[in-house]
Amino acid sequence: MEEKILQSYRVKEHLLDEVFDHNGTIKKPYKKLYSHFNKYNSEDFRKVNDATKLSFLMQGITFATYAENPKGTERIFPFDLMPRIITSTEWAELEKGLIQRNLAINLFLKDIYNDKKILKDKVVPSELIFSSVNYNKYMVDFEPPGGIYNHISGTDLIKHSDGKFYVLEDNVRCPSGVSYVLSNRDALKKALSLLFKELRVGTVFDYAEALSTCLHSVAPEGVDSATCAVLTPGMYNAAYFEHSFLAQSMGLQLVEGRDLFVDHGFLYMKTIYGKKKLDVLYRRVDDEFLDPLVYRADSMLGVPGLMDVYRQGNVSIINAPGTGASDDKAVYSFIPQIIKYYLDEDPILNNVHTYQCEIPAEMDHVLNNMENLVIKPVDQSGGYGIFIGSGASKAEIEEMKQKIKSDPREYVAQPIMNLSTHSTFIEESNCFEPRHVDLRAFTLLGHDYQYILKGGLTRVALKKDSLIVNSSQGGGSKDTWVADVE
Amino acid sequence: MLARVADNLYWLGRYIERTEHLSRYLNIQYFSALDTTSDYQRDLALKSIANMVGIDSEGEGYAFEEEILVAVAMDESNQASIKSCMHFARENARGARDLISREVWNAINKFYRFINDYPEDYYKTQGLFDFTHTTIENCAIIKNRIQSTMLHDEVWAFAKMGLHIERATQITRILISKFEDIKRVKERDNKSVESFQLVTLLKSAEGLDMYHREYSILPQQKETLEFMVLNARFPRSITYNVSSLRKHILQVAPNKGIEKDSIEWNIGRMSEYLKYLTVEEFADDPLSFLNKTLVYLNDLNSLLSKEYLNH
């Protein structure tokens, strides 16, 4: 009889696998899934897999990397048919932790741009904040409408070999990926419809409604029925699919900078009938491109005068400019203290221990233990610039040491975390193999409003043994199910 | 609705319609010419195809039949080729993706994939019919989705305006092209060739069957002209499309067009003029009338762009 697809799966020693324990026994939450998947032989499975991939391409659920290929070939974000399961109990704990963390980050942002108490009390060093390239001086002495800065955040979490979740980083500028959660779910519902019924998987399709509620809740004061829009850099942006997807699912206008203008303290769109006032702008354009009058003068993506309208309180910008001052990887290491300071609570979610290279003793430790550490530039995203000591040559280590010494503020180091692995269908070998995964959880904060997307985006490092999960660097994704399976 | 997005939708409509007409013209001209033993006919057909996309068929670059056929259908560097038109149609749809229905987008995207992946070698040797035929069918599917899955609001109205102005333009160009051919044929005094040209003309607008129903005679020059220009019940006639265009402009117009020289006034005047025009008034010199119509349609496009799309 032909071998079933999961029979030859081998768990790696020293690593935590989400699906199997070390002696190869299926874990309880995955039992039903396992028996379902084992009905397939590899050929049948490949057929389902190919059909799903093709449907993504035909629907244009793609991202384009124009920098790499000027012709703009579109690729689908690789997607794996085997979902990751998180139990409802585990999720409830994560949810509490995520709310706590993001509320504290919001209070921190409000504080560093206004009273600066936490800096005066020396809980967080002021040099760390004021030296950050993302600290935005146009936000000083200003509070956004609704009092929220980080309306939308994407928190990256991993599960370590000790079985606990750790926060790897906070993304509170323009976190992306939520459209893939919804598209993945759509595809998986068609492929695995029977399982959905059995496992009572938590829905993700309330996201658009939640986001819309969140946007309206922070409209400028005095605006009854706010006009909201999504601001995109345009269709050549890698995440354009997501921008249009979000606008469409909320029934909002998708605007570009060139569609907008400022007049007498208000923001307007250019419509077929002339101007129309805009109250809430969910921008997917980085701070520095938002307004050529205050940031980069050469920006074609922003709106001249936007920051002025914002500071007059006549438009809400989602997320607020300047939130980057808190998702800096050096600030990240202070989040436990930040939570304690503002909420007087112990952090529910763990941080990965982080060494600050600008502290001399910590830099020494880093320089002497390069092989066991991950070195990260504090202000990069997308997995760029990450250095993993265990896989580096001597020359590469030396080069990195020099970089750290010449600019200690720019780098932090963390122990190499053993991200858990998950069974993932690998096309080249036509079978399931363990691959490292992380989890991006999406939190929304509005005026008296909190929401967590149930499940989030599981990202997969498709290259064998790689720890880098970012889509721009060959990562893939999985649907994530929050289910009652204990 | 954003002016930029209205522009996207208007051009989406234009490019879909253009793709369809180019494909049909290529298909009909090429395969009709195969039915004849006359080299002259085949030469005429080829020139006529090149003419529709603005390629200079006398020029050196297009000495071979194959090259012309590739240039019209598949050449990405030729902005007027079918492949380029569909590329532009999809880019315009992408720019308005949040406003059109998923069904419209999927139909466009799927079709774009078909065109984009079509193997050029196969096209050159045996794929011309398959390529053009599938293209025509897919354009029909896309237009059906636009009609049946979108709100019939101003978003839809701009797509429809693009569609009708493009169709009126393409029909006018087909008429000009064919009546020029007929003129040349007449110079050679060949009656059967003239009737053959009228049949391909009507087929190029998918109008032959309805022509027969309307007139119960073989295609004649005057009747064909009347049918394609003035028939108010035939959806491919110029009059029908100008009147539809007027309807959609009035749907989005904030004022209903009493101001002199406004677009609403302008189209109203043309529409009424065509309603009471008789074929006798231009049958003696159809080319002069058709060329004026083409200029009018271009002016209307500029007026529409100025009024609604370029804010």
Side-chain angles (χ1 to χ4, degrees):
Chain A
M1 193 178 128
E2 206 178 340
E3 190 175 78
K4 298 301 175 190
I5 51 170
L6 277 162
Q7 273 174 1
S8 58
Y9 189 78
R10 295 285 167 268
V11 175
K12 294 198 165 190
E13 268 181 76
H14 315 302
L15 291 177
L16 177 88
D17 192 88
E18 301 274 351
V19 188
F20 296 93
D21 64 20
H22 277 105
N23 50 34
T25 317
I26 185 82
K27 290 184 179 173
K28 201 174 165 201
Y30 282 90
K31 275 197 172 140
K32 280 185 176 155
L33 201 65
Y34 178 76
S35 50
H36 183 87
F37 271 72
N38 250 344
K39 285 179 195 146
Y40 291 102
N41 61 39
S42 57
E43 190 163 330
D44 291 343
F45 191 77
R46 180 176 273 279
K47 275 184 202 155
V48 182
N49 193 51
D50 287 349
T52 309
K53 266 174 58 182
L54 190 65
S55 84
F56 274 76
L57 191 64
M58 287 303 170
Q59 291 176 63
I61 305 173
T62 51
F63 68 96
T65 46
Y66 287 88
E68 289 162 27
N69 54 78
K71 261 192 91 184
T73 310
E74 296 160 40
R75 285 193 288 149
I76 65 165
F77 189 17
F79 162 69
D80 188 53
L81 279 175
M82 184 164 187
R84 172 199 204 157
I85 297 179
I86 298 178
T87 67
S88 305
T89 330
E90 209 172 11
W91 186 257
E93 190 67 8
L94 271 178
E95 246 184 37
K96 270 194 262 168
L98 288 163
I99 300 265
Q100 180 197 50
R101 194 171 174 98
N102 284 298
L103 283 176
I105 290 175
N106 191 51
L107 292 168
F108 174 68
L109 284 161
K110 189 168 154 184
D111 193 21
I112 59 170
Y113 286 115
N114 292 283
D115 300 336
K116 305 185 179 64
K117 279 193 204 148
I118 198 167
L119 307 179
K120 288 172 192 159
D121 290 342
K122 299 199 185 310
V123 176
V124 174
S126 6
E127 317 83 75
L128 188 69
I129 302 306
F130 298 137
S131 65
S132 165
V133 290
N134 294 312
Y135 187 79
N136 192 322
K137 60 180 182 187
Y138 297 97
M139 292 299 290
V140 174
D141 295 329
F142 171 72
E143 196 182 319
I148 306 289
Y149 290 78
N150 51 336
H151 311 86
I152 298 150
S153 73
T155 313
D156 292 342
L157 298 136
I158 55 151
K159 205 184 235 186
H160 191 46
S161 40
D162 62 8
K164 288 184 188 153
F165 275 104
Y166 286 80
V167 174
L168 213 51
E169 64 183 58
D170 302 286
N171 298 284
V172 291
R173 282 175 262 179
C174 300
S176 62
V178 78
S179 59
Y180 296 110
V181 175
L182 304 187
S183 306
N184 287 353
R185 177 63 55 89
D186 209 34
L188 215 57
K189 275 205 302 197
K190 288 165 196 156
L192 304 175
S193 48
L194 290 177
L195 272 171
F196 272 89
K197 274 194 205 156
E198 277 188 64
L199 298 183
R200 303 173 61 80
V201 179
T203 183
V204 292
F205 287 103
D206 54 354
Y207 183 78
E209 197 189 332
L211 183 55
S212 177
T213 308
C214 178
L215 298 185
H216 281 91
S217 80
V218 294
E221 222 166 300
V223 174
D224 286 338
S225 174
T227 306
C228 313
V230 178
L231 176 67
T232 174
M235 58 184 195
Y236 298 106
N237 185 273
Y240 179 75
F241 163 69
E242 173 149 312
H243 305 159
S244 63
F245 178 92
L246 288 174
Q248 182 166 46
S249 42
M250 291 186 286
L252 303 186
Q253 297 276 4
L254 181 65
V255 299
E256 295 179 19
R258 57 187 163 136
D259 299 323
L260 307 179
F261 67 99
V262 165
D263 188 20
H264 286 84
F266 289 92
L267 180 66
Y268 295 95
M269 303 188 271
K270 299 172 192 171
T271 80
I272 51 170
Y273 301 133
K275 62 184 189 178
K276 181 161 194 240
K277 183 160 83 67
L278 201 54
D279 307 302
V280 181
L281 195 59
Y282 174 21
R283 51 84 178 232
R284 297 294 297 256
V285 167
D286 292 338
D287 283 10
E288 56 178 328
F289 295 100
L290 273 182
D291 182 347
L293 298 184
V294 296
Y295 304 116
R296 283 179 59 156
D298 62 344
S299 170
M300 304 293 284
L301 307 175
V303 190
L306 176 63
M307 284 304 284
D308 187 40
V309 177
Y310 183 52
R311 288 200 56 122
Q312 289 185 48
N314 291 337
V315 69
S316 299
I317 300 179
I318 314 296
N319 285 346
T323 49
S326 73
D327 70 5
D328 184 309
K329 292 180 181 74
V331 174
Y332 155 90
S333 59
F334 288 96
I335 299 284
Q337 290 94 306
I338 289 172
I339 293 172
K340 188 81 187 160
Y341 184 83
Y342 293 110
L343 303 174
D344 195 24
E345 293 169 8
D346 290 325
I348 300 168
L349 295 171
N350 303 302
N351 254 24
V352 180
H353 186 81
T354 305
Y355 300 95
Q356 308 281 336
C357 293
E358 62 175 347
I359 300 172
E362 302 207 350
M363 178 153 90
D364 281 348
H365 177 87
V366 171
L367 295 178
N368 294 326
N369 291 279
M370 296 286 284
E371 300 76 17
N372 307 317
L373 296 171
V374 181
I375 319 284
K376 297 173 172 178
V378 294
D379 50 7
Q380 294 268 355
S381 58
Y384 289 100
I386 288 185
F387 173 91
I388 298 170
S390 58
S393 68
K394 274 198 169 146
E396 284 166 339
I397 288 183
E398 274 315 308
E399 192 191 339
M400 194 67 222
K401 279 184 177 175
Q402 288 310 319
K403 280 188 185 169
I404 296 172
K405 281 186 213 161
S406 62
D407 189 2
R409 170 66 179 88
E410 176 63 18
Y411 295 98
V412 295
Q414 292 173 341
I416 299 173
M417 296 296 284
N418 288 322
L419 278 65
S420 59
T421 59
H422 197 292
S423 317
T424 301
F425 184 68
I426 301 300
E427 289 181 13
E428 295 81 57
S429 61
N430 210 21
C431 66
F432 277 88
E433 291 178 21
R435 285 293 184 272
H436 289 293
V437 293
D438 82 347
L439 175 68
R440 173 167 287 186
F442 296 92
T443 307
L444 302 181
L445 295 183
H447 182 62
D448 292 329
Y449 181 73
Q450 297 154 359
Y451 166 91
I452 307 253
L453 177 65
K454 246 191 174 68
L457 180 68
T458 290
R459 300 187 297 176
V460 186
L462 285 177
K463 275 187 226 153
K464 198 170 183 178
D465 299 326
S466 167
L467 293 169
I468 309 279
V469 295
N470 303 77
S471 56
S472 47
Q473 310 210 16
S477 69
K478 274 180 180 296
D479 195 13
T480 311
W481 293 4
V482 174
D484 294 320
V485 276
E486 281 138 296
Chain B
M1 157 186 218
L2 292 173
R4 174 181 57 82
V5 180
D7 190 61
N8 282 128
L9 287 153
Y10 172 71
W11 280 100
L12 166 65
R14 288 202 73 153
Y15 279 120
I16 294 292
E17 194 64 20
R18 192 175 294 179
T19 306
E20 182 183 319
H21 276 271
L22 286 179
S23 301
R24 189 181 303 112
Y25 198 71
L26 176 56
N27 182 305
I28 300 294
Q29 291 302 309
Y30 184 76
F31 290 103
S32 301
L34 289 183
D35 279 345
T36 156
T37 48
S38 151
D39 284 347
Y40 177 65
Q41 285 279 38
R42 296 176 70 158
D43 196 38
L44 208 57
L46 218 52
K47 279 193 176 136
S48 185
I49 291 167
N51 190 32
M52 277 301 280
V53 289
I55 294 172
D56 179 9
S57 57
E58 310 291 337
E60 281 178 25
Y62 296 100
F64 302 101
E65 174 172 322
E66 188 182 275
E67 278 185 44
I68 288 190
L69 298 181
V70 169
V72 171
M74 317 271 307
D75 186 1
E76 283 174 59
S77 63
N78 171 16
Q79 297 226 336
S81 72
I82 293 170
K83 198 168 180 176
S84 293
C85 282
M86 197 48 216
H87 170 75
F88 294 136
R90 181 181 181 257
E91 289 297 89
N92 278 298
R94 235 154 71 78
R97 193 165 162 183
D98 55 313
L99 294 182
I100 57 179
S101 68
R102 178 183 306 232
E103 289 73 19
V104 170
W105 165 255
N106 284 359
I108 291 172
N109 193 50
K110 198 172 164 186
F111 172 42
Y112 165 80
R113 292 270 156 220
F114 165 81
I115 284 204
N116 204 47
D117 299 340
Y118 205 87
E120 193 172 308
D121 285 342
Y122 181 74
Y123 168 81
K124 282 197 273 198
T125 51
Q126 47 191 317
L128 191 133
F129 180 80
D130 172 58
F131 180 82
T132 49
H133 183 72
T134 313
T135 298
I136 295 162
E137 285 203 330
N138 274 284
C139 288
I141 292 172
I142 293 166
K143 286 192 282 182
N144 173 276
R145 295 268 162 90
I146 290 174
Q147 193 67 6
S148 59
T149 68
M150 282 175 63
L151 280 179
H152 287 198
D153 61 0
E154 72 270 18
V155 170
W156 172 80
F158 275 101
K160 295 287 281 187
M161 279 185 235
L163 198 148
H164 287 296
I165 205 166
E166 184 66 28
R167 191 184 292 164
T169 307
Q170 291 292 341
I171 294 292
T172 310
R173 295 188 62 195
I174 289 177
L175 287 169
I176 291 173
S177 177
K178 285 287 107 186
F179 277 96
E180 274 175 353
D181 288 350
I182 289 168
K183 213 166 112 187
R184 279 192 213 116
V185 170
K186 270 192 173 164
E187 282 159 16
R188 291 167 67 108
D189 199 23
N190 192 332
K191 201 71 187 158
S192 76
V193 178
E194 180 189 324
S195 131
F196 173 85
Q197 293 294 346
L198 289 172
V199 168
T200 57
L201 188 161
L202 286 162
K203 278 187 182 169
S204 301
E206 291 183 338
L208 184 60
D209 298 333
M210 292 306 112
Y211 172 90
H212 284 314
R213 276 199 52 204
E214 199 74 339
Y215 294 97
S216 307
I217 49 166
L218 289 175
Q220 305 291 316
Q221 206 181 126
K222 195 173 113 190
E223 282 74 11
T224 304
L225 204 53
E226 184 179 57
F227 183 65
M228 290 305 305
V229 176
L230 299 176
N231 195 308
R233 292 169 301 146
F234 180 53
R236 306 287 163 109
S237 80
I238 295 173
T239 296
Y240 182 95
N241 284 288
V242 170
S243 134
S244 301
L245 191 56
R246 180 192 192 188
K247 198 174 79 191
H248 295 300
I249 286 177
L250 290 181
Q251 188 185 343
V252 300
N255 64 52
K256 296 296 174 197
I258 26 198
E259 278 170 54
K260 190 169 174 289
D261 291 335
S262 70
I263 185 167
E264 296 83 10
W265 177 85
N266 213 294
I267 183 111
R269 203 162 97 130
M270 180 64 166
S271 186
E272 292 302 316
Y273 166 71
L274 286 171
K275 206 187 278 179
Y276 298 104
L277 186 67
T278 60
V279 69
E280 285 76 16
E281 289 170 76
F282 60 94
D284 289 342
D285 185 8
L287 283 169
S288 153
F289 168 79
L290 291 166
N291 280 314
K292 267 189 237 157
T293 306
L294 200 57
V295 170
Y296 169 76
L297 290 169
N298 285 336
D299 289 347
L300 202 62
N301 172 66
S302 310
L303 211 55
L304 187 89
S305 303
K306 196 169 133 239
E307 185 72 24
Y308 292 106
L309 311 176
N310 290 343
H311 279 286

